[in-house]
Amino acid sequence: MNLVKNDLVKVISGKYKTKTGKVLKVYPDKNRVIIEGVGMIKRHSKPSRKHPQGGIVEKEAPIHVSNLMVICRKCNQPTRVGHKYLDDGTKVRICKNAGCGEILST
Ligand SMILES: [Zn+2]
């Protein structure tokens, strides 16, 4: 799992191909993430105390990480995620695009 909350990602395959958005939530055990505004599904909800009428609720569906690439905020391109260790031993994620190597937010 190379994605973390607030990453900007691009969908590279599947139903939502070419869409981009921010990661809102990660499910490491399922290798899936929720992306803001991507994969909206309509769910019919039963009446509840909060929504006495019931109705249709729009919700983002989790998308498998194999369909996603992180967008590097420096070179603005989708990239594979690399890793390196800083001098103090902290492991960070880096952009693997040629000539970039920017540290992705951790
Ligand atoms: Zn980059």
Side-chain angles (χ1 to χ4, degrees), residues 62-74:
I63 293 180
H64 198 266
V65 295
S66 65
N67 293 329
L68 303 172
M69 278 182 99
V70 178
I71 296 175
C72 171
R73 288 169 203 263
K74 189 181 176 199

Side-chain angles (χ1 to χ4, degrees), residues 21-39:
K22 198 174 82 175
V23 173
L24 295 181
K25 198 169 185 341
V26 292
Y27 299 98
D29 51 331
K30 293 186 181 120
N31 278 320
R32 286 174 185 271
V33 300
I34 299 276
I35 307 165
E36 190 175 34
V38 177

Side-chain angles (χ1 to χ4, degrees), residues 72-77 79 95-97 100-102 104:
C72 171
R73 288 169 203 263
K74 189 181 176 199
C75 60
N76 227 359
Q77 296 293 321
T79 178
C95 171
K96 287 194 90 175
N97 287 337
C100 185
E102 178 77 356
L104 304 169

Side-chain angles (χ1 to χ4, degrees), residues 4 9 32 51 59 84 104:
V4 298
V9 294
R32 286 174 185 271
H51 301 284
K59 240 187 128 182
K84 77 169 185 183
L104 304 169

